[in-house]
């Protein structure tokens, strides 16, 4: 479905509880990388993120990074912290999202994608038919990202009005 509206909104990725996902039948959480898990400015994750990854896994939810990035920092993170990843995902194309779902044998109803960008992550999730979860960008560090966010604001406001907050 071509939609820019997330189903759920959280301030940050670590606010998503495994129980919240499990209650909705989600068993695979796909994660955008840049500005959702880590800012562009560092390759070292916060302890809070590592603790959260562990908490999600213990809750029986599988995790896979789905990133448009072509940089080595994503596979490096993946290897170092033992989180699966799908790079070159080309979101909003559903291609990379579907590949990740196939890897884990999960269908649309069992999958959610969390990301900070309406025009790549939320749209991509909706086109693939999986649950779209929006989080605030960790760090809008360039003018370009700040400008893009201005265009995202109406969609986020609309989603809030429709009370899709958890
Ligand atoms: Mg991002």
């Amino acid at each position: 479905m071509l939609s820019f509206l997330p189903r759920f909104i959280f301030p940050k990725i670590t606010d998503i509880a495994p129980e919240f996902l499990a209650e909705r039948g989600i068993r695979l959480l796909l994660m955008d990388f840049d500005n959702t898990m880590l800012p562009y400015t560092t390759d070292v994750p916060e302890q809070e993120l590592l603790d959260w990854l562990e908490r999600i896994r213990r809750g029986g939810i599988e995790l896979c990074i789905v990133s448009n990035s072509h940089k080595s920092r994503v596979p490096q993170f993946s290897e170092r912290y033992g989180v699966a990843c799908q790079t070159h995902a080309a979101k909003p194309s559903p291609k990379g999202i579907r590949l990740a779902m196939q890897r884990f044998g999960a269908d649309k109803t069992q999958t959610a994608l969390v990301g900070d960008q309406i025009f790549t992550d939320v749209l991509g999730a909706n086109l693939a038919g999986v649950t779209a979860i929006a989080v605030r960008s960790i760090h809008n560090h360039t003018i370009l990202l700040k400008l893009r966010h201005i265009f995202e604001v109406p969609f986020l406001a609309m989603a809030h009005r429709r009370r899709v907050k958890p």
Side-chain angles (χ1 to χ4, degrees):
M1 185 188 31
L2 202 156
S3 165
F4 299 104
L5 295 181
R7 180 78 184 80
F8 303 108
I9 299 174
F10 286 88
K12 49 192 179 76
I13 192 169
T14 50
D15 292 327
I16 305 171
E19 297 79 16
F20 177 87
L21 299 171
E23 279 163 14
R24 286 159 182 80
I26 305 293
R27 66 171 186 85
L28 173 63
L29 181 62
L30 308 178
M31 303 173 291
D32 171 54
F33 190 76
D34 288 316
N35 263 337
T36 295
M37 297 176 71
L38 255 72
Y40 284 107
T41 44
T42 178
D43 292 334
V44 183
E46 301 269 352
Q47 187 58 43
E48 188 188 355
L49 180 78
L50 297 177
D51 293 344
W52 175 80
L53 291 170
E54 191 47 40
R55 195 152 56 89
I56 291 284
R57 284 200 196 100
R58 274 206 309 269
I61 312 285
E62 296 191 276
L63 292 165
C64 184
I65 299 163
V66 175
S67 172
N68 285 0
S69 181
H70 295 237
K71 293 189 186 137
S72 59
R73 75 193 209 104
V74 182
Q76 273 165 10
F77 179 97
S78 166
E79 192 156 319
R80 177 143 192 213
Y81 299 101
V83 186
C85 85
Q86 180 69 51
T87 55
H88 303 74
K91 293 170 286 183
S93 159
K95 190 188 72 176
I97 296 170
R98 290 199 178 125
L99 279 172
M101 287 160 69
Q102 277 167 23
R103 271 168 73 177
F104 288 90
D107 70 25
K108 299 190 255 200
T109 64
Q110 300 170 319
T111 306
L113 184 140
V114 54
D116 68 303
Q117 297 296 331
I118 294 289
F119 302 119
T120 52
D121 303 314
V122 170
L123 179 59
N126 287 334
L127 287 173
V130 307
T131 300
I133 304 175
V135 290
R136 207 167 290 149
S137 281
I138 292 174
H139 189 35
N140 279 332
H141 72 298
T142 66
I143 292 279
L144 204 67
L145 288 177
K146 284 195 184 89
L147 273 176
R148 186 162 63 174
H149 183 65
I150 291 171
F151 292 101
E152 292 177 336
V153 165
F155 295 104
L156 290 169
M158 230 187 288
H160 273 291
R161 269 203 302 279
R162 283 177 37 178
R163 295 170 193 252
V164 292
K165 275 181 90 175

